[in-house]
Amino acid sequence: MFNRSFHNLFMESMILGATLLASTSAYAEDNNLVAVNGTQTNIPTAAGIAKRPLSRNQTPRFADNSSETTIAQTPKIPAINSDTSAQQTNSMSQVTSVSQFSDVQPSDWAFGALQSLVERYGCIAGYPNGTYRGNRAITRYEFAAGLNACLSRINELIATATSDLVTKEDLTSLQRLQAEFATELATLRGRVDNLEGRTAELEANQFSTTTKLVGEAVFAVTNAFSGSVHGSNTVFQDRVRLKFISSFTGKDALYVRLTGGNATTLKLPNGTTEGLQTFNLSPANNNDFLDWLAYYFPIGDKIEAYVGAVNGVFFDFIPTLSPYLDSATGAGRALTEFASSSPIYRIGGGAGAGINYKFSDKVVLSLGYLAGDHASPEVGSGLFNGQYGAIAQLAWNPNKNSGIGLTYVNAYQNRGAIFDIGSGGAIVGTAQANTPFDEVITNSYGAEAFYKFSPKVAVNGFFGYTNAKNLTGSGNADIWYYALGLALPDLGKQGNLGGILVGAEPYRGGNPAPANDLSLHIEGFYKYQFTDNIAITPGVIWITAPGQNDDNQDAVIGTVRTTFTF
């Protein structure tokens, strides 16, 4: 007998590859009379399977509800802060001899006959290193799959008027092999027919040939044990998102997201929004609405472009260099918006566009412009005459384990807060930092970095400074923010994530007393991946001196967040 080193791979590559390219009806009783080297002879023919359009398996690059421990959670083009270690794949290449499969030892006539056919017609594919791996004897069904591949190849030659390449001796060998392996070939035919039927059913009932649906549902139990304006009061909140990802060229992606929920923010003293959790960004009373509409597409080989039409934000496409903690506005990683990534990415938002220009695999330049009053035709509004944010960032990724970014944002704000992602309401920081004046123009400077000590230990940090100039009077405001975070992927088991972050949310330096104290943000969480689609994340958020006032009681917020993804 001959060695069976290609047990699993042979069945998959041959049955799902070769036999799907040619119908196994070749092994039925039908015979066709064909001319081979000028002589009429009979050979079983394989009628070609009718080709049908296959639905594109579009993998969402930008899923903000992903449970995988990659670095990027939101659309990054390209994701310089993503874990660049790709899954190992086994590329297939054609080999022309059975003897190239170093694990297989020929031992009988059937192997020799198939070897001769393979060498003549190149009808079996294997790994580039010439092995099918393993140490078990090959089964008759697996051999039949190889035989099927050669039958298909020879019939292809005959169908394309190249039958003179097929010798009479080869046809005789095929007929003998077919007779000996008739039972296995018939079984193989049944398996393929069953697979075809299941494939047809999937195609008939698929959601869309161009669109994939991704969902996230969040159940959260939260309580401010101290420091809340409302006191200690346990709440049960929810948020649901349905995201439709469509592609029209295979390289582009259109995102349409619907959101509904009832999550509201716990109120802290002095109107501060410190400690706001990612799932708090939802409509009230479980209303649903279109909360994100964006389109991504490449321009040549070096530029990938972004157009945001509804609720666009800079971290939609710009690398945030925040390994494992960046949850954007999703509920898959860190608990709060502040712990996800630098507040500099939350200055401004709305509608606009951006690009990532790839100088090399290690250096990416990002540029973007978003306007908050883009839809209003009133004076002082519109795409270019109202509030806006313009960003430029240079990110350097020397290797997959480290990265650093330098970021600049120029913005104009005539309503609401500075760190508002275009919503008008503050997302991170104290009230003093968000609304120092009624009308401001800001210049912000930031540095972000990460380093992975190992696949299970990573640190990231950021530092930022914003200067806000008063446009309705005199004066400037200095606003600071910084943090250092530790991420522990796969803590306890694969898919889990532990995280600790200590820093200061945006605060105004030199603010008049009594609101001139330093507020610290301390956060710890542990995401337990219960199943592939369910994660439970308990965590604690501790805000010292909320509202930049030591007279206020420290806020301690406890949360148990359950995230369902589908």
Side-chain angles (χ1 to χ4, degrees), residues 34-40 163-169:
V34 296
V36 181
N37 290 339
T39 304
Q40 288 186 338
S163 57
D164 57 330
L165 299 177
V166 183
T167 67
K168 189 173 183 179
E169 291 76 11

Side-chain angles (χ1 to χ4, degrees), residues 172-193:
T172 301
S173 295
L174 281 173
Q175 289 173 329
R176 184 181 174 188
L177 287 169
Q178 181 193 6
E180 179 160 337
F181 290 89
T183 301
E184 290 78 14
L185 291 172
T187 302
L188 184 63
R189 178 186 60 192
R191 292 180 179 179
V192 173
D193 288 345

Side-chain angles (χ1 to χ4, degrees), residues 465-486:
Y465 165 73
T466 296
N467 178 265
K469 182 180 180 181
N470 187 0
L471 296 182
T472 59
S474 60
N476 294 273
D478 297 320
I479 302 164
W480 307 87
Y481 36 97
Y482 41 83
L484 181 66
L486 171 67

Side-chain angles (χ1 to χ4, degrees), residues 64-66 215-222 235-242 257-264 277-283 286 327-335 527 533-538 559-566:
D64 60 3
N65 59 352
S66 173
E216 177 194 74
V218 180
F219 296 168
V221 177
T222 303
V235 295
F236 180 37
Q237 301 177 329
D238 69 83
R239 187 185 70 182
V240 178
R241 283 178 166 178
L242 297 178
R257 189 175 69 199
L258 304 176
T259 297
N262 64 0
T264 57
Q277 300 183 63
T278 59
F279 63 83
N280 288 143
L281 300 175
S282 68
N286 283 312
S327 192
T329 62
R333 296 183 179 177
L335 292 175
K527 184 185 79 170
N533 302 99
I534 303 175
I536 301 174
T537 309
T559 292
V560 178
R561 181 187 69 192
T562 302
T563 305
F564 302 85
T565 58
F566 52 93

Side-chain angles (χ1 to χ4, degrees), residues 384-449:
F384 300 108
N385 295 318
Q387 65 173 17
Y388 70 87
I391 192 170
Q393 175 174 287
L394 187 66
W396 176 48
N397 227 41
N399 51 60
K400 67 178 183 180
N401 294 321
S402 61
I404 186 170
L406 299 175
T407 310
Y408 169 74
V409 176
N410 175 263
Y412 167 71
Q413 179 64 268
N414 59 357
R415 62 172 178 83
I418 293 175
F419 303 92
D420 70 341
I421 61 172
S423 66
I427 302 300
V428 293
T430 66
Q432 295 82 1
N434 273 285
T435 54
F437 311 109
D438 292 334
E439 185 178 1
V440 299
I441 188 165
T442 61
N443 291 284
S444 302
Y445 312 86
E448 307 81 30

Side-chain angles (χ1 to χ4, degrees), residues 316-389:
D316 273 349
F317 66 98
I318 292 181
T320 61
L321 294 100
S322 180
Y324 302 106
L325 298 182
D326 185 1
S327 192
T329 62
R333 296 183 179 177
L335 292 175
T336 65
E337 280 294 302
F338 177 69
S340 293
S341 60
S342 175
I344 199 169
Y345 302 113
R346 287 154 179 80
I347 300 176
I355 64 167
N356 282 335
Y357 181 82
K358 190 175 182 180
F359 287 106
S360 68
D361 291 336
K362 298 180 179 180
V363 181
V364 172
L365 173 66
S366 302
L367 302 171
Y369 176 90
L370 297 172
D373 292 324
H374 55 90
S376 175
E378 298 179 4
V379 176
S381 299
L383 189 60
F384 300 108
N385 295 318
Q387 65 173 17
Y388 70 87

Side-chain angles (χ1 to χ4, degrees), residues 15-33:
I15 295 176
L16 299 183
T19 62
L20 283 179
L21 292 177
S23 168
T24 51
S25 59
Y27 316 118
E29 296 297 327
D30 303 347
N31 288 332
N32 261 359
L33 197 64

